Amino acid sequence: QRINGIETLVVQGYVANIGDIPRTVPGIRLDLYNEKKEVIQSEAAPAPAGLLDPGASAAFDIRLKLPQLSLAKGGYAVVWDIK
């Protein structure tokens, strides 16, 4: 997708708390992988919510500008950005 004239990979989704207790939500990261499953590009975003009660969900939208899609033979993944 082009945003302000810049090619951008946009991934939207939801995180949900399927547990029985409230959970703190970490930040998220969009990783782009080559054919060897090595990260070739990455973009971090803040947590879509600070805390999720049991059964609650929160939407996220993460964007990677100028993705190297021709090298991304291994696909992409949205992962927790836990340091």
Side-chain angles (χ1 to χ4, degrees):
Q1 168 177 348
R2 285 199 171 293
I3 299 175
N4 296 324
I6 299 171
E7 190 67 28
T8 305
L9 174 61
V10 178
V11 178
Q12 298 174 324
Y14 292 89
V15 294
N17 180 357
I18 60 171
D20 296 331
I21 60 173
R23 296 282 182 180
T24 301
V25 181
I28 57 175
R29 193 177 67 241
L30 174 57
D31 290 339
L32 211 57
Y33 301 99
N34 65 14
E35 67 279 351
K36 296 178 186 176
K37 294 294 185 186
E38 299 166 329
V39 175
I40 57 171
Q41 268 185 292
S42 190
E43 183 67 39
L51 187 72
L52 281 180
D53 289 327
S57 63
F60 69 84
D61 179 309
I62 189 164
R63 299 165 184 225
L64 179 63
K65 292 180 181 177
L66 300 172
Q68 299 174 6
L69 297 178
S70 64
L71 301 177
K73 306 293 185 204
Y76 67 89
V78 176
V79 298
W80 299 122
D81 191 27
I82 301 172
K83 305 274 190 244

